[in-house]
Amino acid sequence: MNGNFTFHNPTRLHFGENAMEFLKDELAAFGPTVMLTYGGGSIKKNGIYDQVVAALKAAGKTIVEDGGVMPNPTLEKLMDGVAKAKANNVDLILAVGGGSTIDYSKAVSVSTWCEEDPWEKYFVRFEEPSCRIIPVGSVLTMVGTGSEMNGGSVITNHAANLKVGKVFGPAVFPKFSILNPRFTLTVPRRQMVSGIYDIMSHILEQYFSGTDDNTSDYIAEGLMKSLIVSSRAAVKNPEDYEARSNIMWTATWALNTLIAMGKTTDWEVHMLGQAVSALTDATHGMTLAAVSLPYYRLIKPYGLKKFARFAKNVWSVSADGKNDEQVADEGLAALEAWMREIGVAMNITELGATEAMIPDLVKATFRLGGGYKQLTEDEVAEIFRQSL
Ligand code: NZQ
Ligand code: ZN
């Protein structure tokens, strides 16, 4: 392990069927006015809203409602939320939902008292906040992003055709998160599967970088193995609590910074996928699935040993009598077979992208350098063509 790092994750987690019991005590640490953020209404149908409101009332809070956070939250919605948080001088933002609601809440938290243009400061210049930060807490209802225990916040700016993620430091991580796997049982199957692939992608983005022997990679392999077992069980029976709870816990550890320690990390699949989302508004995990295989097949020669290790350690591919390239190819074939088995999107056409969009997709794709190869613009275009 060759890197130098500081590891600090300040989010307190309450996990399990009784996790909501801890909400009232968590709320006691904050001031009287709570902005309750949520999405398009699933929490009203499945009863989570009522449980949260009951806890807020029991804790004596004044509730400022802020629903309607859309998947892939927009800059317009962010600015509406900022106005509401400011007008009510809120003390805590309680996000009840998936990654979109939690990401949005973090963005409101650092933008409400920001004297500069938040888009420019955080999502163009990637600066840290220099203003008062409103604390965020979360009740997670959809599994995948890891937003419940990290500083990520992804905002879509349709006017600029961009979807951009800013990774904030620990001051912006949720102060607490309530993780009850039962809350995820009402997530529609396609959304569940999208979240499962998002988790796999997060692990791969960190795994496929570096050439040193690194403990983080062994942890990543364990997380992938658990995810493969539990995803198969959950796809067969979405009501399988054991599988859904394992998936929830895996998602959190896949992106709470632990397995990035000592690594450069790649994140190019996310850059490609975010470009697709920016132009089509497609579901996050599906955009990642649709571009992953063309990307990995292109960079495989530059990280061949790691791709062979992935095949052996994650997919139990036998290396007997084969060279690294054959082993690596079998690993990617196993990944592809699993993707088809769980039912993710296998191309960007089914997500609404067209060949005519490729120049704009290329423009919207940040080309990072932390993985095994920094892509050229032509390679980005080629990956999108192969993903059609
Ligand atoms: O809006 P409602 O009505 O609540 O419905 C949501 C939404 O339609 C529904 N849902 C959530 N919980 C449910 C439920 N439906 C029934 N029962 C429940 N218990 O699921 C749909 C998707 O929700 P969303 O929050 O959009 O999904 P996800 O958690 O995948 O979040 C996606 C966003 O997170 C960003 C993505 O880019 C995207 O904008 N990401 C955030 C990251 C981070 N913070 O680190 C990293 C990720 O790579 C990702 O980029
Ligand atoms: Zn993701």
Side-chain angles (χ1 to χ4, degrees), residues 38-43 46 48 69-73 96-101 103 106 141-147 150-154 156 163 183-188 191 194-195 198 202 255 267 270 274 283-285 288:
Y38 56 94
S42 69
I43 63 165
N46 58 24
I48 298 172
V69 182
M70 62 293 280
N72 305 325
V96 184
S100 294
T101 298
D103 280 18
K106 290 174 197 165
T141 68
M142 149 84 205
V143 165
T145 65
S147 192
N150 70 34
S153 175
V154 186
T156 298
K163 179 178 181 186
F183 285 0
T184 69
L185 295 182
T186 52
V187 170
Q191 207 66 58
S194 173
D198 193 21
H202 294 160
L255 196 49
W267 295 107
H270 272 66
Q274 280 172 205
T283 303
H284 173 65
L288 307 176

Side-chain angles (χ1 to χ4, degrees), residues 14-185:
H14 302 284
F15 190 96
E17 291 185 87
N18 66 352
M20 274 295 271
E21 290 170 15
F22 296 89
L23 180 57
K24 190 168 164 281
D25 289 345
E26 288 289 358
L27 292 172
F30 303 95
T33 308
V34 178
M35 186 152 117
L36 170 58
T37 56
Y38 56 94
S42 69
I43 63 165
K44 292 202 168 159
K45 286 189 209 125
N46 58 24
I48 298 172
Y49 174 87
D50 292 337
Q51 292 184 47
V52 171
V53 167
L56 284 165
K57 287 193 175 151
K61 303 296 180 187
T62 302
I63 304 172
V64 177
E65 289 234 7
D66 184 29
V69 182
M70 62 293 280
N72 305 325
T74 63
L75 182 56
E76 287 75 24
K77 175 68 186 166
L78 166 61
M79 296 320 289
D80 285 352
V82 162
K84 197 178 270 186
K86 201 181 252 178
N88 292 282
N89 192 13
V90 304
D91 299 300
L92 172 74
I93 302 173
L94 182 60
V96 184
S100 294
T101 298
I102 305 175
D103 280 18
Y104 161 82
S105 301
K106 290 174 197 165
V108 172
S109 116
V110 295
S111 301
T112 300
W113 302 108
C114 176
E115 285 174 0
E116 298 157 75
D117 174 343
W119 174 259
E120 290 289 325
K121 182 176 174 70
Y122 302 127
F123 300 95
V124 176
R125 297 199 303 273
F126 296 105
E127 292 171 9
E128 284 299 298
S130 41
C131 61
R132 180 181 142 200
I133 298 170
I134 303 171
V136 172
S138 90
V139 176
L140 187 65
T141 68
M142 149 84 205
V143 165
T145 65
S147 192
E148 66 276 12
M149 202 184 190
N150 70 34
S153 175
V154 186
I155 297 295
T156 298
N157 180 340
H158 284 298
N161 266 351
L162 287 175
K163 179 178 181 186
V164 180
K166 159 75 182 159
V167 180
F168 291 101
V172 184
F173 286 32
K175 302 295 173 215
F176 63 86
S177 285
I178 307 286
L179 275 61
N180 180 344
R182 287 233 176 267
F183 285 0
T184 69
L185 295 182

